[in-house]
């Protein structure tokens, strides 16, 4: 009893109310999955910059300093220098150069790699949007789960209040001698069981808020109540599948991401095939050298065209083309699998909504009937024509019917959340 009173007092304290909109806003700010997705997008953008660099001019500069002796090193076949002596005198030698080069044409190897990374970056951005929609779905389901447990807690409290009234009434009947003491024992047992149900329901509600915090990416207390919110009916939820499917295929970021991945692999195939041809580039360079002690200052400049053609590499290019074509086949197959999965997602969400609507209507009818039964059982017990077992059964039936309404409300809310995700709406 003391534990129950402590829980009831804690619940009676005013608490901040968390709305669904606020939960989604917190998730956008705090959820680490979104930061990870953004990091992947930034990495993909960096790879675009890297691959583009091969198409731009390349400018490099080098400088070299040496302190070297001036001794002549003879080698077999070399011409000795008359009078050359070995000594430890040394000179400073400075060498610097600047080189500029530009790729002219490599049969699309570099340009197609660049286009491939661009497509991959777009795919990463679409995947980032997909991650956000997944987070929204997780937050909504966790939020509606907390709402359901909050309402189940209300049902448990209502049941406890009814059992308390029954206990007081039966105590009076037993004292008056109109009821047997066994009825009082049964009433006390029912009241104790109702207390246990309140304790369990309170714990379940608190645990659901822990999971809600996790879905929001929030590390903090759970001293709040969730607002009794649900998603409104969605346009087309009672209509045909095909219009919803068409909208989903157009809006789902996963489809857009997979499509871009196919494009990226197509460009990689073209890039790999370009390796069969040569690469042509132009270059220019300036070199300057200075030796101290000799008054020598020299420089040189050069321009030229370079043709590089790998005529035979042991089948390397063929293998690269083969690999790229295989990866393209995988990407295309994954896109087809995803299209089929989108159809399943939309179809399942629509079926779940329709089933939940039908179940909700029936469960509400069952609740009305169960409450009528409880009212009749209470009247029968008061006038002496009913038994305590009948009263207890009616109370259990009413509590179960109320819990069933809560469950079907939760199923309908989550089914609508699944539909919004399935058709690509955050």
């Amino acid at each position: 009893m003391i534990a129950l009173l402590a829980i009831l007092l804690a619940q009676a304290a005013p608490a901040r109310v968390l709305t669904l909109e606020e939960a989604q806003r917190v998730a956008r700010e705090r959820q680490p999955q979104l930061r990870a997705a953004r990091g992947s997008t930034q990495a993909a953008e960096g790879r675009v910059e890297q691959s583009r660099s091969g198409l731009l001019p390349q400018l490099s500069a080098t400088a070299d300093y040496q302190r070297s002796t001036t001794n002549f090193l003879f080698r077999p076949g070399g011409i000795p220098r008359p009078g050359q002596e070995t000594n430890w005198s040394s000179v400073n030698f400075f060498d610097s150069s600047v080189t500029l080069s530009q790729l002219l044409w490599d049969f699309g190897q570099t340009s197609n790699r660049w286009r491939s990374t661009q497509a991959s970056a777009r795919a990463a951005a679409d995947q980032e949007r997909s991650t956000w929609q997944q987070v929204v779905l997780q937050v909504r389901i966790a939020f509606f789960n907390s709402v359901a447990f909050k309402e189940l807690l209300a049902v448990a409290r209502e049941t406890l209040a009814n059992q308390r009234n029954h206990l007081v009434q039966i105590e009076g009947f037993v004292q008056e001698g109109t009821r047997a003491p066994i009825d009082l024992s049964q009433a006390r047992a029912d009241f104790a069981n109702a207390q246990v149900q309140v304790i369990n329901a309170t714990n379940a509600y608190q645990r659901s808020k822990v999971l809600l915090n996790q879905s929001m990416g929030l590390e903090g207390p759970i001293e709040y109540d969730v607002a009794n919110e649900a998603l409104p009916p969605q346009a087309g939820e009672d209509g045909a599948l095909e219009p919803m499917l068409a909208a989903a295929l157009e809006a789902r970021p996963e489809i857009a991401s997979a499509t871009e991945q196919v494009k990226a692999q197509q460009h990689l195939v073209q890039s790999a095939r370009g390796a069969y041809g040569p690469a042509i580039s132009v270059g220019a360079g300036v070199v300057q050298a200075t030796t101290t002690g000799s008054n020598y200052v020299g420089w040189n400049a050069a321009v030229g065209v370079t043709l590089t053609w790998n005529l035979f590499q042991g089948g390397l290019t063929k293998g690269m083309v083969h690999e790229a074509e295989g990866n393209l086949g995988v990407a295309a197959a994954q896109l087809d699998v995803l299209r089929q999965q989108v159809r399943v997602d939309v179809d399942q969400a629509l079926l779940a909504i329709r089933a939940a609507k039908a179940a909700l209507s029936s469960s509400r009818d069952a609740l009305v009937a169960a409450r009528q039964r409880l009212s009749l059982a209470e009247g029968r017990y008061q006038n002496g024509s009913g038994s305590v077992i009948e009263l207890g059964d009616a109370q259990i039936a009413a509590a179960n019917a109320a819990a069933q309404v809560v469950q079907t409300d939760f199923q309908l809310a989550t089914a609508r959340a699944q539909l919004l995700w399935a058709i690509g709406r955050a």
Side-chain angles (χ1 to χ4, degrees):
M1 176 65 75
I2 296 177
L4 176 63
L5 290 176
I7 292 175
L8 293 177
L9 289 174
Q11 290 297 317
R16 182 176 65 87
V17 177
L18 178 70
T19 64
L20 178 59
E21 180 180 359
E22 183 181 358
Q24 294 175 177
R25 179 186 58 79
V26 172
R28 181 179 285 277
E29 296 173 354
R30 300 289 187 88
Q31 181 52 249
Q33 296 179 52
L34 298 179
R35 297 201 304 271
R38 181 54 189 162
S40 297
T41 302
Q42 291 177 341
E45 292 169 349
R47 288 189 289 271
V48 173
E49 297 169 353
Q50 295 174 43
S51 61
R52 183 183 58 192
S53 65
L55 298 173
L56 301 177
Q58 308 294 307
L59 179 64
S60 62
T62 60
D64 181 39
Y65 163 76
Q66 290 183 352
R67 179 72 180 179
S68 175
T69 60
T70 59
N71 294 325
F72 173 75
L73 294 179
F74 175 77
R75 66 178 183 178
I79 301 175
R81 296 182 181 179
Q84 182 71 35
E85 296 180 359
T86 300
N87 60 69
W88 290 100
S89 63
S90 60
V91 295
N92 294 319
F93 181 77
F94 299 90
D95 183 13
S96 61
S97 65
V98 177
T99 304
L100 175 67
S101 63
Q102 171 64 58
L103 175 68
L104 295 181
W105 180 247
D106 63 354
F107 286 85
Q109 294 181 64
T110 305
S111 60
N112 281 306
R113 280 196 297 269
W114 175 46
R115 295 187 183 98
S116 176
T117 56
Q118 286 180 312
S120 295
R122 292 192 295 269
D126 290 327
Q127 193 59 43
E128 183 181 349
R129 291 195 298 118
S130 174
T131 301
W132 164 239
Q133 292 186 357
Q134 287 281 357
V135 167
V136 170
L137 175 62
Q138 293 168 6
V139 169
R140 286 172 174 170
I141 291 177
F143 184 89
F144 296 143
N145 189 52
S146 291
V147 172
F149 279 114
K150 177 184 177 181
E151 293 178 352
L152 288 174
L153 176 57
V155 171
R157 287 173 174 169
E158 182 183 358
T159 301
L160 178 62
N162 288 337
Q163 293 291 0
R164 183 183 294 108
N165 293 335
H166 294 163
L167 178 60
V168 172
Q169 291 174 353
I170 293 173
E171 283 179 342
F173 290 150
V174 172
Q175 290 174 1
E176 293 173 359
T178 58
R179 287 290 178 178
I182 193 173
D183 286 7
L184 181 59
S185 297
Q186 182 65 47
R188 287 172 176 169
D190 292 341
F191 180 72
N193 289 332
Q195 288 179 314
V196 173
Q197 293 299 320
V198 170
I199 294 172
N200 291 339
T202 301
N203 181 58
Y205 179 42
Q206 298 299 323
R207 291 174 61 187
S208 72
K209 290 190 289 184
V210 171
L211 296 178
L212 177 57
N213 275 9
Q214 182 185 31
S215 69
M216 294 187 294
L218 181 63
E219 299 180 16
I222 55 173
E223 302 303 322
Y224 60 83
D225 273 334
V226 292
N228 291 334
E229 292 186 48
L231 292 173
Q234 301 300 311
E237 67 180 28
D238 295 319
L241 168 66
E242 296 304 325
M244 300 292 285
L245 178 60
L249 291 175
E250 183 177 354
R252 282 282 287 270
E254 297 94 330
I255 294 292
S257 178
T259 301
E260 292 295 340
Q261 288 292 356
V262 171
K263 293 179 181 178
Q265 292 301 326
Q266 289 173 339
H267 288 304
L268 285 179
V269 170
Q270 296 173 2
S271 176
R273 289 174 178 169
Y276 284 120
I280 304 173
S281 61
V282 295
V286 177
V287 180
Q288 180 180 353
T290 302
T291 303
T292 59
S294 64
N295 295 325
Y296 170 77
V297 178
W299 64 272
N300 203 356
V303 295
V305 178
T306 303
L307 173 67
T308 305
W309 197 344
N310 297 316
L311 298 178
F312 183 70
Q313 293 178 289
L316 175 62
T317 301
K318 181 181 179 181
M320 293 173 60
V321 172
H322 195 184
E323 179 187 5
E325 290 175 342
N327 290 335
L328 174 59
V330 172
Q334 289 175 341
L335 176 58
D336 290 339
V337 169
L338 188 56
R339 288 179 181 274
Q340 295 175 4
Q341 185 61 49
V342 168
R343 184 183 188 93
V344 172
D345 293 340
V346 176
D347 208 356
Q348 286 183 336
L350 290 176
L351 291 173
I353 288 175
R354 291 161 190 172
K357 283 183 176 181
L360 183 59
S361 176
S362 298
S363 62
R364 286 173 176 170
D365 292 340
L367 177 59
V368 172
R371 285 176 173 171
Q372 290 175 347
R373 174 188 173 185
L374 177 60
S375 178
L376 293 173
E378 289 173 341
R380 282 170 52 82
Y381 187 81
Q382 291 174 4
N383 62 30
S385 60
S387 67
V388 70
I389 296 178
E390 178 186 20
L391 179 61
D393 290 344
Q395 179 63 64
I396 292 174
N400 289 341
Q404 185 62 39
V405 171
V406 173
Q407 292 293 338
T408 50
D409 272 331
F410 169 72
Q411 291 169 1
L412 180 57
T414 54
R416 283 176 174 155
Q418 289 281 355
L419 178 62
L420 287 175
W421 169 76
I423 61 178
R425 297 180 191 171

